[in-house]
Amino acid sequence: MTWTTYHEFAGFGGDTIGVLRVPGTRGVLAANHNEAAIDTHALNHPEMDHYRGDIAKEDIGKFPRVDFFASTPSCPPWTDARGQKRDFDQSTQGVLFDPVRGPKALNPDTARARALMEEIPRYLQAMNRRGKPVLGGLVENVVQVVKWDQFARWRGEIVAEGYRTRMIALNAMHVTGPTLGKVAQSRNRFFLAYWHESLGRDPDWDKWLRPKAYCSSCDEMVAAVQVFKDPRTKMGVYGIKHGQYVYRCPHRSCRHQIVEPGVLPASSIIDWSLDPGPKIGERANYGKDPLQPTTMARIEAGLARHVGALLTPAGGTWRTDATSVDVPLPTRTTRDNDALVCPPLLVSCAARAGVGTATTVEDPMRTQTCRRETAVVVPPFISIQRNGGSATAAYPVHGPIPTVSAEGNHHGLVGPPTRAEQVEFLMSYYGNGGTHRTDSPIGTLTTRDRYALIGGTPPVEQCTFRMLEPHEIGAGMGFPPGYKIPPHVAKSKRKVVRGYGNAVPPAMSEVIASAVIETFAGEPLDPAA
């Protein structure tokens, strides 16, 4: 059985990639107003028809009828993180225009973009009038869209066309696509999934929306359950401290303790073969502008907070785990060689970002928006061998990266200083012991652990800095390797980053579409292993 699909506001094709990974699907049409987006989509999906233009001005009833309808209206007009006053929770009837005062939004473009949400029920209504309803679909947007005062009415119009719906709060880093895998980005999104009641069955949401997590009390991997802190809340962002929901163990034996699903390391999207860039203190020598004081402050705060050195085994050794410098040096053997490792950082260059926003690459990448305002600053691993070793070799670490922004190359790479610029100390763990510089001979090694390595915080000026390249941002969004960008689009990094930042991480649409399409024929699909 073949299930046809239509992708409205298709952009660079993130949702198309994911939906078409579901077995049995065939893309029929993709629509978008932006030339760069539609050209990129067409290059990667030449088998589909493409419409470039303003959907709101078209007779949607003449568009082809499909089984699955994916719609991803513009996200920025709905977010309240743009430095603009949110007004979409005021009375905005019809298509968000007041007949007397004009647009209720801050500007006509924003008002029109919000009106695009109306295109979803309009298409479903048009297909129903033709006598063959769409079987199901998805809508993706930012979580703030539910604060729109017309949201209940809008959702009600979809229900009135004969659909059952489910509102889903989902973070990209917790998704594992059956074929696309994980996403190395923390990106909170709203999804509305819908399926026609004539199908006579509902999606098995537990099968598709419960990420694997380790429960330390149960000592096992479990299918985590999403739980909102306030039972009255149905939409929000993930966060143990500041979010609206968490994940819990399903077992009563541990009192449903909070668990954290596994995430993909930020290092997985960094192209470590690229030049790490000049040292921050030497940017002028390379014709580059100095970094803004706020960016410098974020890097300094990040180094102080996150760049704690680790000892990791290198070369032939029986040990497999890295150890903190806060514990004694592991037992010495005739084969052990330890390297000093400093975890990378991600630093936002956005003007409104706080000083303490830097994270290591062990955390997800911050959300990529449609504006050029977020920079990623990532210090690479520097491996320092006791007898020499490379001052420039970089190695990946384990943990996701922060979200990528659509209009900008806003992520930079920061590397700690080389051995010549940073001195480490060995601290003795016995009564009359002291500290020893690592560039001098070590004291006598006994049969007991006596030494710990102490690494100082590297000065900001000695770190390297570079912006993330567009292909790294694409990888951070979860686009598969080899995704094509037309030459005329690739000439503008801003256009490429904007296209990626406006996209849906493909694995997210793969998971939601799998759950819905599984109900069409009632034949089970396989989730990720």
Side-chain angles (χ1 to χ4, degrees):
M1 188 69 179
T2 299
W3 309 111
T4 55
T5 70
Y6 164 38
H7 304 265
E8 194 171 67
F9 317 117
F12 262 28
D15 73 289
T16 308
I17 295 169
V19 172
L20 295 186
R21 289 298 183 101
V22 180
T25 54
R26 177 174 65 86
V28 171
L29 176 66
N32 205 87
H33 73 286
N34 182 271
E35 179 182 8
I38 209 72
D39 289 350
T40 300
H41 195 286
L43 179 63
N44 289 278
H45 301 281
E47 74 285 356
M48 297 175 62
D49 290 330
H50 288 80
Y51 170 85
R52 180 191 166 200
D54 187 348
I55 292 293
K57 296 179 180 179
E58 290 298 319
D59 180 359
I60 204 74
K62 295 181 180 179
F63 275 42
R65 178 265 168 199
V66 296
D67 299 304
F68 188 90
F69 176 36
S71 185
T72 57
S74 180
C75 296
W78 296 101
T79 181
D80 53 6
R82 287 159 50 88
Q84 297 180 354
K85 180 182 178 182
R86 186 182 72 231
D87 63 352
F88 57 80
D89 51 356
Q90 300 173 7
S91 179
T92 50
Q93 295 288 341
V95 292
L96 305 183
F97 283 86
D98 182 280
V100 177
R101 293 180 292 170
K104 289 288 292 185
L106 296 180
N107 61 65
D109 291 337
T110 301
R112 182 196 166 279
R114 291 175 183 167
L116 296 179
M117 284 287 284
E118 306 291 352
E119 296 305 306
I120 292 91
R122 191 164 80 97
Y123 178 77
L124 298 177
Q125 291 162 1
M127 296 305 107
N128 266 351
R129 286 195 295 270
R130 284 168 53 172
K132 194 173 182 182
V134 172
L135 297 182
L138 65 81
V139 183
E140 180 267 356
N141 216 295
V142 291
V143 299
Q144 292 93 340
V145 73
V146 299
K147 296 180 180 179
W148 176 31
D149 78 321
Q150 295 298 302
F151 181 81
R153 185 269 309 161
W154 172 84
R155 184 179 182 181
E157 290 188 9
I158 295 175
V159 173
E161 294 301 314
Y163 294 94
R164 294 173 62 81
T165 65
R166 180 181 175 108
M167 197 164 62
I168 301 166
L170 195 60
N171 190 301
M173 68 180 176
H174 296 146
V175 165
T176 305
T179 69
L180 292 165
K182 288 184 172 293
V183 181
Q185 177 181 182
S186 176
R187 188 181 187 89
N188 291 289
R189 283 299 181 265
F190 155 94
F191 283 89
L192 184 81
Y194 56 91
W195 57 100
H196 205 273
E197 55 188 14
S198 65
L199 294 169
R201 50 185 163 263
D202 296 331
D204 183 354
W205 294 112
D206 281 349
K207 174 181 176 180
W208 297 98
L209 296 181
R210 291 179 58 179
K212 298 296 183 182
Y214 175 71
C215 177
S216 58
S217 294
C218 298
D219 191 24
E220 64 176 283
M221 296 297 294
V222 299
V225 179
Q226 184 186 63
V227 178
F228 280 85
K229 298 173 184 178
D230 183 346
R232 298 169 298 178
T233 303
K234 301 300 181 183
M235 181 54 54
V237 303
Y238 169 79
I240 294 176
K241 290 185 178 180
H242 305 297
Q244 283 72 57
Y245 72 87
V246 296
Y247 284 98
R248 291 185 177 273
C249 176
H251 299 153
R252 293 182 180 178
S253 58
C254 67
R255 298 184 178 181
H256 305 293
Q257 81 165 31
I258 292 177
V259 294
E260 296 189 64
V263 292
L264 189 67
S267 60
S268 66
I269 64 95
I270 303 298
D271 185 348
W272 300 102
S273 67
L274 297 180
D275 186 334
K279 295 175 184 176
I280 293 174
E282 298 177 1
R283 288 176 63 84
N285 298 341
Y286 295 84
K288 296 181 177 293
D289 294 333
L291 298 183
Q292 294 293 323
T294 51
T295 301
M296 294 286 284
R298 292 181 199 117
I299 297 173
E300 185 173 13
L303 291 173
R305 180 179 179 184
H306 297 294
V307 181
L310 297 174
L311 281 175
T312 184
T317 175
W318 56 271
R319 291 190 297 112
T320 59
D321 297 326
T323 58
S324 168
V325 297
D326 296 327
V327 300
L329 194 69
T331 303
R332 303 292 84 198
T333 72
T334 58
R335 299 180 61 192
D336 281 347
N337 291 302
D338 282 298
L340 177 67
V341 176
C342 294
L345 294 180
L346 293 172
V347 180
S348 172
C349 295
R352 64 175 180 274
V355 171
T357 55
T359 61
T360 71
V361 293
E362 295 178 355
D363 299 316
M365 188 177 81
R366 58 181 291 142
T367 304
Q368 179 74 31
T369 71
C370 65
R371 302 184 65 183
R372 297 196 67 175
E373 62 182 12
T374 305
V376 177
V377 182
V378 186
F381 268 2
I382 302 299
S383 178
I384 304 176
Q385 303 293 330
R386 182 181 303 168
N387 293 320
S390 171
T392 59
Y395 301 89
V397 292
H398 304 288
I401 58 180
T403 306
V404 176
S405 162
E407 272 185 30
N409 228 343
H410 299 125
H411 294 64
L413 191 66
V414 173
T418 64
R419 178 176 180 174
E421 297 144 355
Q422 175 182 353
V423 176
E424 290 76 44
F425 295 89
L426 285 171
M427 181 178 69
S428 304
Y429 269 87
Y430 48 84
N432 61 351
T435 57
H436 309 269
R437 291 172 61 106
T438 56
D439 55 0
S440 62
I442 192 172
T444 303
L445 292 174
T446 68
T447 58
R448 300 183 63 185
D449 291 336
R450 295 291 191 183
Y451 290 97
L453 184 66
I454 303 173
T457 300
V460 175
E461 294 79 7
Q462 298 298 334
C463 295
T464 60
F465 178 99
R466 74 166 175 85
M467 304 302 290
L468 279 190
E469 293 297 319
H471 72 278
E472 294 172 301
I473 292 173
M477 289 294 297
F479 276 67
Y483 199 72
K484 303 172 185 175
I485 305 296
H488 71 89
V489 178
K491 289 192 299 184
S492 170
K493 289 185 178 181
R494 181 174 182 177
K495 286 183 179 180
V496 177
V497 173
R498 179 183 177 86
Y500 280 135
N502 270 329
V504 179
M508 299 184 83
S509 59
E510 182 183 18
V511 166
I512 302 297
S514 294
V516 174
I517 292 173
E518 191 176 50
T519 68
F520 290 0
E523 298 177 358
L525 298 174
D526 295 326

